Amino acid sequence: MAKWTESKPDPDFSQVLAPDGTVDGDAPVDEETMLRMYETMKVSRRYDEKTLSLQRRGEISILSRSWGEEAIPVGSAAALEEGDWCFPTYRQTPSKLYWGGPLDRSLAGLMGHEPETIEEHLPVPDEEALPVNFSPVYIPLASNVTNAVGSAMADKFEDEDAVTLSYIGDGSSSQGDFYEALNFAGVFDAPAVTICHNNQWAISVPAHRQTAAETFAQKAEAAGIPHERVDGNDVFAVYEATKRAVDRARAGEGPTLLECVTYRVDDHNTADDAGAYRDESQQAFWAERDPVDRLEAYLRSADLIDDAAIEAIEEDADERVEAAVDRAREVPADDPARIFDNHLQSESWNERHQREELRAEQRGENPFTDFTGEGL
Amino acid sequence: MSAEYPDGETSEVNLVTAVRDTLAQELRRDESVRLLGYDMGPIGGVFRATEGLYEEFGENRVIDTPLSENGILGTAAGMAMRGQRVVPEIQFLGFFYPAFGQFMYTVSKMHERTGGGFEMPLTVRVPYGGGIKSSEYHSESTESFFVHTPGVRVVCPSTPAETKGLLAASIRSDDPVMFLEPKAVYRAGTQEVPEDDYTLPLDESRTVREGSDITVLSWGARVRHAEAAADQVDADVEILDLRTLSPLPVEDVLDSVKKTGRCVIFHEARRTLGLGAELSALINEYAIDRLQAPIKRATGYDVHFPSHQTEEAYLPDEQRAADAIEAVMSYEY
Ligand SMILES: Cc1ncc(C[n+]2csc(CCOP(=O)(O)OP(=O)(O)O)c2C)c(N)n1
C-alpha cells in the first residue's frame, strides 16, 4: 500500500533549548515557572497513559492525546496572565493543566457524562476558579479560532487589556473559519494570538497536502498580521514567541499567528492506526527531540532537579491522576432527563411534553397515550 | 416498487463494503467519476469506505483534499459544472455545516438558476446518525436541513443491497444527491448482494414487510428496530423504508396508509420539523378520511444530540416504536 511520505521540517524556526537540553545564554523563564512547566508535562503524560488504558477497558469511548506535543500548550499557556482567555481544541489539555485545570472533570467528560452532571458532582468552587479563563474544548475544527478573535474584539471594544489565545492544527488551518478569523483579527487589530500546531498530520493527511505555502505561519501574510515560526518541541522557544505576541497584543499592537513545528507521535486518536499511512521511521528522529526529555536534561544540568526530585514529581503526577480517576468514577450515571437541560431559558410545551414522555418510557409505561395534548 | 436486482453471482457484504464496491464499480465504469475528500488516501477514509481505491485509481480520481468541507463541496460543484461526475465525502454529517454556504449557493441552485444550463451531477456521501458512542457532532441526523432544500435529492439506504443500487443510481444521476450512510449499520450485518451492476429508482420506497393494520414509515439505521417492534406487537404491521427522503415517495406512503388506516413515523432525528412532521402533514392533507387513529411520531427529542452516557435514552429503539404502534392501535374515536 502506498504510504504518504513526510519530510523533516526545515529547521528555519526559532529555538532556545537545543535537542540536547542546552541553552545558549539564559533561559527565558524563572525557576519556578520552569518547574511548573515540567510538572505539567509530567502530569499530562501520566494522564495520557491513564486515559489510554481507560479507553482500552471501555471506560472512555474515543481519545486524542497530547503526547510529544506538550511544549506547545504548556509553553504558550505560561505566557498568559490572569484574566486572559484561552480557546483550545482536543489536543491542548496541558494548557489548562498548567493553570490548575481539574483532571477529574476532563475525565468525566471523556467518560461521556453530560456537562450538567459533571457540574453537579465535580463542582469547582468560585475561590478555585482558574486565573486564566478557558472556553470549552472545541470539536468542530477551526470554529474556536473565530470565537477567540471575537473574544479578543470584545476586550478591545471594552478597553480591557486581556489577550485571547487559540489553537489550531495544521489541517484545520485549511478551514474557511481560520482565514476568516485571521482576517477579522487583522482588520480589528484584535488582541488575539493564534497558535498553529504543525504536527505534520491531520489524521492521515500530511501537511504538504494541506498547503502549497512554504510555512503555515505565512498564512498570516494575506491577513496583514505578524507571524513567527518556532520549534514546537522547545518549551522555552514557544514561551518566548508567545510572550512576545501576548505583550504586543496587550500593548494594543494587534494579533499574531505562530506556527509551532512538531510531530504527532501518536495515532490521531484511538480509532486510528498511523502505521497504515505514514512512514514510522521518523519516530526515532522525533524521539530525540522529545519536549519533556529536553526540558528534563536542562533542569538536571541547571541542578534544579535530580533523580529523587524526578521520582517525586512522577509519584505526585501518578497520585493526582489516580485520585482524579477515582473522583470521576464516583460520578453517578446520568439521569437521562439531563438531555433536556440548558437548551432554552424558558419552558415550552414541547419540552415539558417530551420530558414527560421520556419519564414514562423510563418507568416502562407507554409514552404515546396522550391524544389530547393535555399530558400523559 | 420495483427492486430490479440482476440474476447472477452474489457476494455477502456489509453496508460499508457495498459502498466501497459500488464506488469502485462506478470509477471503473465512467472515467469522469472522481471521489474527493480528506483521509481518502492510504487509509481509505476513517470508516474505510474508500479503502484501496486510491491505490487502484490514483490520486487524480480519488483525491485527497485539504481539510475543508466548504472547499470540498465548492470545488466539487465547480468540477461538476465542467462535466465531471463527482462524489465528495464529508467525514461526518456534523461537519457538513461549514459547507452549507456552497450547498445553498451553488450545489442546490445552479441548475435551476441557469434554467437548466448547468448540470450538478454530484453525490455527497456522508456517514450519518447516532448509536456509535462517539464525541460531539459525530452523531447528527439532520436530514431535514437537506430535505428542506429544493434542487437536491436525499437518499438514505438501510441495507447493503439497497446501498449498491441507490449509490450507483445517485452517481449516475445528473442531480445533486445527499447520500446519507447510516453508519450505525455500516458493519451491523451482511447480505447477499449481486455482483453485476444495477441501479434502484431514486424516488421509491421499499416495502420491508406488508401488513394490514398499521404503517410504519422509517429509514436508515432505524429500519431494523421497526422490524423488531413489528415482531413484538399484536398487530399486522406494514413497514416502508422510505430510502429516498427527497423527493418523498408520496404515493407509496399514501397508498400504504390508505390501506392500513394507521401510521407511526419512526426516525432518530429531532421531532420538531423532523421529516415525520412533513409525512404526518401529507397524510392529513390527502388521507385524513381513511385514518382510524391519529398519527404518532416516535422520534428523538428536541435536544442537541446527547453525551454517550445518555444517547440511548435519546435514540428511538424497538421499544419506543412498539409503544407508538400499540398506542395508535388502541385508539378509538
Ligand atoms: C469541521 C470538522 N471537520 C472534520 C472533523 C473531524 N476531525 C477531527 S480531528 C481531524 C484532523 C485534524 O487535524 P489537524 O487540524 O492537523 O489537528 P491534529 O489532530 O493533528 O492536532 C478531523 C478531520 C472535525 N472535528 N471538524
Side-chain angles (χ1 to χ4, degrees):
Chain A
M1 175 191 275
K3 284 193 188 179
W4 292 125
T5 53
E6 57 199 303
S7 53
K8 292 193 186 104
D10 287 336
D12 61 340
F13 40 61
S14 63
Q15 192 177 74
V16 177
L17 185 60
D20 64 2
T22 54
V23 170
D24 198 9
D26 291 334
V29 292
D30 60 26
E31 289 174 9
E32 193 192 324
T33 306
M34 276 180 222
L35 284 171
R36 185 153 140 205
M37 286 172 160
Y38 179 70
E39 284 161 12
T40 305
M41 291 193 198
K42 284 292 208 184
V43 174
S44 173
R45 287 257 156 125
R46 188 65 202 110
Y47 176 78
D48 271 359
E49 266 166 15
K50 185 72 195 181
T51 47
L52 186 63
S53 75
L54 294 175
Q55 195 278 337
R56 296 221 165 106
R57 287 216 301 263
E59 286 187 66
I60 282 174
S61 75
I62 196 163
L63 188 65
S64 289
R65 309 197 301 162
S66 314
W67 201 281
E69 298 180 46
E70 299 91 340
I72 302 169
V74 170
S76 55
L80 294 175
E81 285 172 23
E82 186 167 349
D84 286 343
W85 277 81
C86 187
F87 284 64
T89 78
Y90 48 87
R91 231 180 272 290
Q92 292 94 26
T93 312
S95 293
K96 200 165 177 185
L97 287 180
Y98 182 85
W99 285 101
L103 286 170
D104 48 7
R105 286 164 68 101
S106 310
L107 281 160
L110 290 174
M111 290 171 178
H113 285 293
E114 291 291 338
E116 294 83 1
T117 307
I118 299 174
E119 194 52 52
E120 185 181 324
H121 294 278
L122 299 169
V124 176
D126 283 348
E127 61 279 11
E128 285 172 30
L130 307 190
V132 164
N133 304 291
F134 284 83
S135 76
V137 164
Y138 281 65
I139 303 293
L141 299 169
S143 55
N144 61 322
V145 190
T146 22
N147 286 186
V149 169
S151 153
M153 286 165 65
D155 283 327
K156 167 124 193 192
F157 296 141
E158 296 289 327
D159 266 334
E160 299 283 345
D161 70 354
V163 173
T164 304
L165 174 65
S166 63
Y167 300 94
I168 192 157
D170 47 296
S172 310
S173 79
S174 298
Q175 293 280 5
D177 257 336
F178 169 75
Y179 296 102
E180 289 157 22
L182 290 192
N183 199 44
F184 271 64
V187 166
F188 292 100
D189 239 353
V193 179
T194 308
I195 292 194
C196 175
H197 268 247
N198 174 8
N199 66 9
Q200 305 189 52
W201 294 94
I203 312 188
S204 72
V205 184
H208 64 80
R209 275 253 156 190
Q210 296 296 341
T211 181
E214 265 173 50
T215 71
F216 286 92
Q218 266 175 14
K219 293 193 175 194
E221 283 292 325
I225 66 179
H227 51 88
E228 274 193 60
R229 197 160 187 255
V230 300
D231 181 342
N233 284 23
D234 171 351
V235 70
F236 291 162
V238 173
Y239 170 83
E240 247 186 21
T242 314
K243 184 79 168 85
R244 271 194 297 276
V246 165
D247 287 350
R248 255 203 318 272
R250 214 183 301 285
E253 291 165 29
T256 308
L257 174 67
L258 299 176
E259 173 185 350
C260 298
V261 183
T262 181
Y263 181 73
R264 201 194 72 215
V265 172
D266 208 353
D267 293 333
H268 167 71
N269 62 21
T270 45
D272 181 38
D273 169 18
Y277 54 79
R278 70 178 182 185
D279 175 0
E280 297 284 22
S281 67
Q282 295 281 314
Q283 292 282 5
F285 174 87
W286 288 98
E288 283 167 23
R289 284 156 183 78
D290 182 87
V292 182
D293 294 348
R294 219 150 144 176
L295 181 58
E296 189 173 295
Y298 175 78
L299 294 173
R300 270 184 197 277
S301 67
D303 276 338
L304 291 169
I305 50 170
D306 54 17
D307 284 347
I310 293 172
E311 201 176 309
I313 288 169
E314 282 173 352
E315 256 170 42
D316 181 57
D318 203 37
E319 275 165 28
R320 281 176 60 189
V321 171
E322 290 302 327
V325 172
D326 290 345
R327 284 193 300 276
R329 277 189 180 138
E330 271 166 31
V331 173
D334 291 67
D335 174 354
R338 276 259 133 93
I339 66 177
F340 293 104
D341 291 354
N342 285 310
H343 279 77
L344 289 174
Q345 303 290 344
S346 67
E347 268 199 335
S348 63
W349 184 91
N350 264 334
E351 189 201 316
R352 264 196 316 279
H353 205 78
Q354 293 184 10
R355 273 182 196 271
E356 243 186 89
E357 286 179 2
L358 177 62
R359 288 287 185 216
E361 200 172 75
Q362 303 279 310
R363 288 192 301 266
E365 293 165 13
N366 191 318
F368 293 96
T369 48
D370 178 9
F371 287 101
T372 61
E374 281 158 19
L376 293 169
Chain B
M1 73 142 257
S2 55
E4 299 302 338
Y5 294 107
D7 299 330
E9 294 289 300
T10 60
S11 49
E12 192 171 325
V13 295
N14 62 25
L15 199 150
V16 74
T17 306
V19 169
R20 192 216 157 275
D21 292 351
T22 311
L23 292 172
Q25 165 197 297
E26 294 303 299
L27 281 159
R28 258 174 237 132
R29 192 187 59 82
D30 178 351
E31 284 283 311
S32 73
V33 171
R34 287 176 207 280
L35 275 42
L36 79 163
Y38 43 81
D39 294 308
M40 281 197 166
I43 54 168
V46 293
F47 290 104
R48 309 295 181 259
T50 52
E51 192 158 37
L53 302 182
Y54 177 82
E55 284 74 15
E56 182 175 347
F57 298 97
E59 61 175 6
N60 294 331
R61 306 279 314 278
V62 180
I63 308 162
D64 227 19
T65 68
L67 205 176
S68 164
E69 289 78 9
N70 205 44
I72 292 168
L73 213 59
T75 55
M79 283 192 251
M81 288 166 74
R82 300 297 309 284
Q84 309 287 301
R85 214 162 265 289
V86 203
V87 190
E89 178 187 87
I90 299 294
Q91 206 160 67
F92 288 89
L93 189 58
F95 302 129
F96 188 86
Y97 307 126
F100 247 95
Q102 282 295 335
F103 177 71
M104 296 304 294
Y105 299 146
T106 66
V107 170
S108 65
K109 194 159 163 67
M110 192 59 76
H111 182 72
E112 180 267 347
R113 70 193 285 263
T114 56
F118 279 99
E119 304 292 355
M120 209 35 98
L122 55 82
T123 298
V124 187
R125 292 184 36 249
V126 206
Y128 105 114
I132 61 161
K133 297 213 184 298
S134 194
S135 53
E136 235 183 336
Y137 292 104
H138 291 72
S139 302
E140 305 282 279
S141 50
T142 47
E143 57 267 33
S144 286
F145 292 147
F146 308 106
V147 175
H148 193 62
T149 307
V152 277
R153 291 182 184 276
V154 183
V155 174
C156 179
S158 70
T159 68
E162 261 178 69
T163 297
K164 177 166 177 179
L166 292 170
L167 182 55
S170 298
I171 294 172
R172 295 177 201 188
S173 155
D174 286 335
D175 293 321
V177 180
M178 288 297 299
F179 195 83
L180 306 176
E181 297 171 4
K183 61 178 177 292
V185 292
Y186 260 162
R187 298 174 201 284
T190 56
Q191 181 185 17
E192 290 294 338
V193 175
E195 286 178 6
D196 288 344
D197 281 26
Y198 60 96
T199 58
L200 292 171
L202 292 181
D203 44 19
E204 288 178 19
S205 63
R206 172 175 68 105
T207 305
V208 179
R209 69 167 75 186
E210 289 188 34
S212 56
D213 292 337
I214 183 166
T215 299
V216 173
L217 303 175
S218 195
W219 54 92
R222 294 301 119 193
V223 172
R224 66 199 161 126
H225 300 287
E227 292 186 73
D231 289 336
Q232 167 186 333
V233 294
D234 183 21
D236 189 19
V237 181
E238 176 148 308
I239 302 175
L240 294 195
D241 171 2
L242 293 190
R243 56 178 208 190
T244 61
L245 310 185
S246 188
L248 277 168
V250 175
E251 281 132 336
D252 297 350
V253 169
L254 293 179
D255 284 351
S256 175
V257 176
K258 284 176 183 168
K259 180 179 84 178
T260 62
R262 296 182 188 84
C263 181
V264 159
I265 301 152
F266 182 52
H267 64 61
E268 68 178 81
R270 294 155 204 151
R271 185 178 309 162
T272 298
L273 285 181
L275 192 47
E278 177 60 29
L279 290 164
S280 177
L282 271 170
I283 295 164
N284 273 308
E285 282 182 280
Y286 301 108
I288 190 129
D289 60 349
R290 308 288 275 275
L291 284 181
Q292 294 169 42
I295 299 160
K296 285 280 177 189
R297 290 171 289 166
T299 66
Y301 302 107
D302 292 348
V303 298
H304 283 290
F305 199 90
S307 302
H308 60 78
Q309 283 222 353
T310 43
E311 77 171 281
E312 263 162 41
Y314 171 90
L315 283 171
D317 57 3
E318 78 180 71
Q319 189 56 48
R320 199 173 298 167
D323 283 344
I325 295 167
E326 275 164 358
V328 171
M329 287 305 301
S330 71
Y331 186 84
E332 275 169 39
Y333 279 110

